[in-house]
Amino acid sequence: MQRAVAAGTKKFAIGVGIAAAAGAGGLVYALEKSVYASDHVVHPYHLPWSHSGKFSSFDIASVRRGYEVYKQVCAACHSMKFIHYRHFVDTIMTEEEAKAEAAEATINALDDRGQTIQRPGILTDALPNPYANKKAAAAANNGAAPPDLSLMSLARHGGDDYIFALLTGYFDAPAGVKVDEGKAYNPYFPGGVISMPQQLFDEGIEYKDGTPATQSQQAKDVSAFMHWCAEPFHDTRKKWALKIAAFIPFVAVVLIYGKRHIWTFTKSQKFAWKPVKGREPPKQH
Amino acid sequence: MKGLMNFVNSLVVVLPSSKTLTLSWNFGSMLGMVLAFQILTGTFLAMYYSADSLLAFSSVQYIMYEVNFGWIFRIFHFNGASLFFVFLYLHIFKGLFFMSYRLKKVWMSGLTIYLLVMMEAFMGYVLVWAQMSFWASVVITSLLSVIPIWGPMIVTWIWSGFTVSGATLKFFFVLHFLVPWGLLVLMLVHLIFLHSTGSTSVLHCHGDYDKVCFAPEYWGKDVYNILVWLVFIVMSLISPFVLGDAEMFIEADPMMSPVHIVPEWYFLFAYAILRAIPNKILGVIALLMSIVIFYFFAFVNNYTSSLVKLNKLLVFSFIVSSVVLSWLGQCLVEDPFTLLSVIFSLLYFGLSSTLLFVFMFSKKLFE
C-alpha cells in the first residue's frame, strides 16, 4: 500500500513537473514569437553567410572586395581605428599588396620638428580617420557623427544581416513619416530615419577582380569585410574549435575507462549476511 | 611542511567519502577549476588592461587585436564567467534538491561565495567600459542609495565622485583584481567545512559507515570536469559572443544611454524581480532577498525526516520559475511582461518560502 502511494506520488510529481515546464516553455515561446508595435523597427532577414557555419571560414575574395567598397565608399566618412594595414598581411593580402595599400593612404603625422605633415602610410599605420575628432565628424554630417566601423559587425543586433539589410534597405518614406533634409528613410534603422543617405548603387564602383558590382554584391562584400575587421581571428578560432572538438572523444574514452577501472571494486561489491551458528534470527510463526 | 601535507592529505586523499555521490557532486570541484581558470586568464588580461576611462575600451580592443593570443584569453575569461554561473546555479540547485543546507557552515560560506562572485562578475563586466556595462554600473550602484542614512554617501564613495567616472572604474578594477584571492580563501574554508563532516549523499545517510577514500575514487570522477571544460572551450571558440550584448562593442558614452539596459544572463532573474516592483526601496529589498532568503535555510533543524519528493517537486518548480524570470528580465518593460514579472517574482518567493516551511511541516508530521 505504502509503495503504491509512493509510486502514485512520484507519477503525480513528474506529471506536475512536466506540465509546469511545458506550460512555462509554451508561454515563453508564444510571447517570443509575437510581434509588438513597440519594436519600431523591421528585423533584418537571415542570410546564408559563407562564414556563419560552426566551422566555416571567411570567403577571403569577398572580404578583399569588401575592403575595396570600404575604401571607395565608406572611408570618406567612417573610421576603422582598430584596424592597421599590417592586419591585412597574410590574412587578406600579401605583404606587398598591404604595403601598396598603406602607401596610397595619406597619414597625418608630426615631423622631427613637431610640425604637422602628411605622409604616405606604412604597415604600422591605422586606417586613416576622415575627421580630426568626433565633433568635427558630427559638424560635417548634420550633427550625427558617423560611427567607427571596426566593431560594427558585433555592435549591432543582427550583425552581418543587419548591415546588409541596412545598406540595401533604402525606400521612399511611407505616408506619415517625416524625413528631414539630408536624412533618409530606412526601416531597418531603429526609428526609421537615418542620417546616412543611400551609398551603394549598381556599378557604383569597379571591382579589381571583375566581379559585377551590383548593389547587393557590394553590400554583401562590405558586410563580410566588416565582420572580418571585428574579429580577424575568426578563422583561427573556428579551426582551433574543430581541432579540440576532434580531440574530445579520445579524452572521453580515457577518462571514462579510467573512472570505471578505479570504481570496479566498489561498484562490484556484494554484501552478504550469513547466519552464524547459534545466532540465527528468530523464526517467524 | 609535513603538517601541510597531512592537511592536504586529509582534505583530498584519505577523506572518508560516501559511495553514493553522483556526478552532481562534481559541480563543486568544477567551480574550483573554473575559479583557478578565471584567475589565470584574468591575471593575463590585467597585464594589458588600462583602468582609465579614456583608455579602458581601447585597451580591451588592444588585447583583442594586438596582444599575441590576447583574444583567446579574453574570450575564455568572459565566457568563463558564464561557465562559473552555470555551475554555481547547478551547485545551488543540487544543494536544494538534496537538502545540503543541513551542513550549515558549508551552506552559509557557499552563499557568501555566491554573493561575492556576483559582485566580482558585475565589476568585471564594468571594466570593458562599453555602453551596456557603463550604464549597468550606473543603474546598479544607484541602488545602494536606498540604504537609510548612509546610502547617498556610500554611492558617492563608490563612484569616487558625483557620477560613474574614471575614478569609479579604477575602484572597480582594484576590487575585481583583489576579490578572487578572497574567493580562493573562502572556497578553501568552504571545502574545510565540507570535508570536516563529509558530503550529503543521495541516500540521505550521513553516517561514517561503509565509505571509501576520496582518492583515487573521487579523483577519477572529478577528472570528468576536464571533458566539460573542453566542451566549454569548443563552444567559446565557435560562438564567443553569443551570450553578450551588441552594446558591449560600443564605447561608453556617459551622455547617451542605450534604449534597453539588460544585464548579463546570470543576473536576469534578479533584474526581473527588481523591475517587477515599481517602488525603488521595495524593489531593492526584493532583489537582495532573492538571494538572502537562502541563508534562512541554515535555520532548518530537521535531520530526522524529510518529504523528499515534495521537496524535489518544489525545487523543480523553483528552477522553472527562475528560468522564466530570467527570460522576463531581458524583455521590454511593457505588458504582458510586467504582469508576468510580478507573477513569477511572487512564485519565486512563494516557492522558496514553501521549501522552508515544508520542513516545519514534516517535522510536526513525523514527531
Side-chain angles (χ1 to χ4, degrees):
Chain A
M1 177 62 187
Q2 245 180 346
R3 193 172 290 177
V5 170
T9 315
K10 191 175 182 180
K11 277 181 189 165
F12 174 74
I14 291 172
V16 170
I18 291 172
L27 179 72
V28 169
Y29 180 79
L31 288 170
E32 273 289 304
K33 292 286 167 193
S34 306
V35 177
Y36 297 97
S38 60
D39 281 0
H40 292 308
V41 68
V42 177
H43 295 288
Y45 34 87
H46 184 63
L47 293 165
W49 297 96
S50 61
H51 55 266
S52 60
K54 296 274 177 273
F55 299 112
S56 311
S57 58
F58 277 121
D59 174 357
I60 294 299
S62 176
V63 174
R64 282 171 65 104
R65 287 194 299 271
Y67 170 67
E68 288 180 51
V69 179
Y70 168 76
K71 193 172 91 171
Q72 295 179 49
V73 182
C74 318
C77 300
H78 293 275
S79 61
M80 277 235 177
K81 62 180 176 184
F82 295 122
I83 302 297
H84 294 69
Y85 285 102
R86 64 189 147 77
H87 287 134
F88 295 155
V89 178
D90 293 339
T91 49
I92 63 171
M93 292 178 192
T94 61
E95 189 172 337
E96 285 67 35
E97 284 173 327
K99 275 181 180 168
E101 278 303 323
E104 273 183 39
T106 307
I107 305 293
N108 293 319
L110 297 177
D111 65 9
D112 293 343
R113 288 170 297 164
Q115 301 300 309
T116 310
I117 56 158
Q118 289 193 320
R119 60 164 173 78
I122 53 173
L123 284 183
T124 49
D125 286 320
L127 268 60
N129 192 334
Y131 301 105
N133 50 56
K134 201 173 174 182
K135 281 192 174 171
N141 290 279
N142 283 332
D148 183 85
L149 295 182
S150 312
L151 293 162
M152 188 51 68
S153 176
L154 298 172
R156 294 291 182 273
H157 292 283
D160 303 343
D161 294 336
Y162 168 78
I163 294 170
F164 182 92
L166 186 90
L167 291 174
T168 55
Y170 286 87
F171 299 99
D172 291 333
V177 175
K178 186 172 173 286
V179 180
D180 291 336
E181 183 69 30
K183 309 237 174 201
Y185 177 73
N186 191 317
Y188 296 100
F189 189 74
V193 178
I194 185 169
S195 297
M196 178 178 80
Q198 182 174 342
Q199 297 296 318
L200 302 182
F201 301 92
D202 287 342
E203 307 305 328
I205 66 162
E206 204 168 301
Y207 281 131
K208 281 181 190 165
D209 66 3
T211 304
T214 59
Q215 186 203 42
S216 58
Q217 181 70 46
Q218 292 173 61
K220 178 214 158 197
D221 293 337
V222 81
S223 301
F225 174 66
M226 278 197 232
H227 195 146
W228 180 87
C229 289
E231 43 170 350
F233 48 83
H234 171 278
D235 289 0
T236 312
R237 69 170 169 80
K238 284 187 176 174
K239 194 164 67 183
W240 284 11
L242 187 62
K243 283 180 180 175
I244 297 168
F247 184 61
I248 289 176
F250 299 101
V251 179
V253 167
V254 171
L255 295 183
I256 292 168
Y257 180 83
K259 184 255 168 190
R260 290 177 75 90
H261 180 75
I262 291 168
W263 279 81
T264 312
F265 176 73
T266 315
K267 292 270 185 185
S268 58
Q269 269 179 324
K270 185 177 176 183
F271 289 88
W273 276 267
K274 285 185 181 173
V276 178
K277 203 173 182 185
R279 293 174 65 189
E280 293 89 352
K283 285 178 184 166
Q284 286 182 339
H285 295 289
Chain B
M1 189 62 194
K2 198 180 174 191
L4 182 69
M5 289 304 285
N6 282 342
F7 173 67
V8 174
N9 196 39
S10 69
L11 214 55
V12 288
V13 181
V14 294
L15 177 82
S17 314
S18 169
K19 290 175 183 174
T20 59
L21 309 187
T22 64
L23 284 174
S24 301
W25 271 259
N26 275 37
F27 300 155
S29 57
M30 185 70 198
L31 284 168
M33 243 180 90
V34 180
L35 179 65
F37 181 65
Q38 288 297 89
I39 289 177
L40 194 78
T41 51
T43 306
F44 180 85
L45 294 178
M47 292 172 191
Y48 302 97
Y49 178 74
S50 297
D52 183 297
S53 60
L54 296 174
L55 298 172
F57 187 78
S58 296
S59 72
V60 170
Q61 300 317 321
Y62 178 81
I63 291 167
M64 295 299 275
Y65 283 98
E66 308 300 337
V67 176
N68 250 353
F69 300 111
W71 58 272
I72 206 160
F73 278 86
R74 179 158 178 255
I75 281 173
F76 288 164
H77 193 70
F78 68 70
N79 282 305
S82 287
L83 185 71
F84 209 132
F85 276 97
V86 166
F87 281 92
L88 208 51
Y89 289 138
L90 287 173
H91 196 53
I92 294 171
F93 291 149
K94 174 248 143 199
L96 289 173
F97 259 119
F98 296 109
M99 302 168 199
S100 304
Y101 34 84
R102 64 177 197 88
L103 303 171
K104 295 179 195 307
K105 286 178 190 168
V106 181
W107 185 255
M108 304 278 259
S109 57
L111 281 175
T112 310
I113 290 174
Y114 174 38
L115 280 174
L116 277 176
V117 169
M118 283 184 124
M119 198 176 114
E120 175 70 3
F122 165 69
M123 290 186 300
Y125 183 60
V126 175
L127 296 190
V128 182
W129 213 241
Q131 268 293 69
M132 193 61 91
S133 68
F134 174 85
W135 287 97
S137 73
V138 174
V139 172
I140 301 300
T141 50
S142 303
L143 295 181
L144 295 171
S145 66
V146 304
I147 297 171
I149 306 169
W150 301 291
M153 192 186 74
I154 292 172
V155 173
T156 314
W157 181 70
I158 288 177
W159 283 351
S160 315
F162 299 98
T163 180
V164 173
S165 63
T168 326
L169 178 66
K170 224 161 266 172
F171 180 91
F172 281 171
F173 176 64
V174 171
L175 279 184
H176 186 72
F177 194 88
L178 291 179
V179 167
W181 307 105
L183 269 173
L184 209 59
V185 173
L186 204 54
M187 204 175 251
L188 190 68
V189 170
H190 185 64
L191 199 70
I192 292 170
F193 282 149
L194 175 72
H195 287 187
S196 64
T197 56
S199 303
T200 306
S201 83
V202 189
L203 297 176
H204 300 279
C205 294
H206 313 303
D208 261 341
Y209 35 80
D210 193 30
K211 292 201 168 182
V212 290
C213 275
F214 191 82
E217 264 83 349
Y218 283 102
W219 278 91
K221 209 166 199 170
D222 281 344
V223 86
Y224 275 180
N225 295 344
I226 291 174
L227 276 181
V228 180
W229 184 76
L230 284 174
V231 170
F232 156 77
I233 294 289
V234 170
M235 284 168 72
S236 304
L237 289 171
I238 290 175
S239 307
F241 310 114
V242 75
L243 294 171
D245 194 280
E247 299 275 350
M248 287 303 285
F249 296 93
I250 304 171
E251 189 167 1
D253 183 350
M255 302 305 287
M256 191 178 69
S257 71
V259 182
H260 188 42
I261 297 176
V262 188
E264 291 290 270
W265 70 269
Y266 35 81
F267 294 139
L268 284 172
F269 77 96
Y271 190 60
I273 291 171
L274 174 74
R275 291 196 315 186
I277 300 167
N279 181 290
K280 188 178 175 185
I281 297 175
L282 292 178
V284 174
I285 292 172
L287 171 76
L288 198 64
M289 285 308 291
S290 67
I291 295 148
V292 171
I293 196 165
F294 292 105
Y295 277 103
F296 290 106
F297 281 76
F299 296 113
V300 169
N301 264 324
N302 183 3
Y303 304 138
T304 51
S305 58
S306 52
L307 297 168
V308 177
K309 289 198 173 71
L310 180 61
N311 180 68
K312 284 189 178 174
L313 175 67
L314 287 170
V315 173
F316 185 78
S317 310
F318 174 74
I319 294 172
V320 172
S321 69
S322 305
V323 170
V324 176
L325 264 180
S326 298
W327 168 72
L328 286 165
Q330 51 87 52
C331 291
L332 295 172
V333 190
E334 61 181 25
D335 273 331
F337 307 118
T338 39
L339 177 68
L340 284 171
S341 297
V342 175
I343 294 170
F344 278 91
S345 298
L346 287 172
L347 258 176
Y348 181 96
F349 286 110
L351 286 164
S352 41
S353 312
T354 313
L355 272 168
L356 267 171
F357 289 120
V358 158
F359 276 93
M360 288 165 63
F361 173 67
S362 68
K363 199 175 181 183
K364 285 210 166 71
L365 193 71
F366 292 104
E367 260 175 2

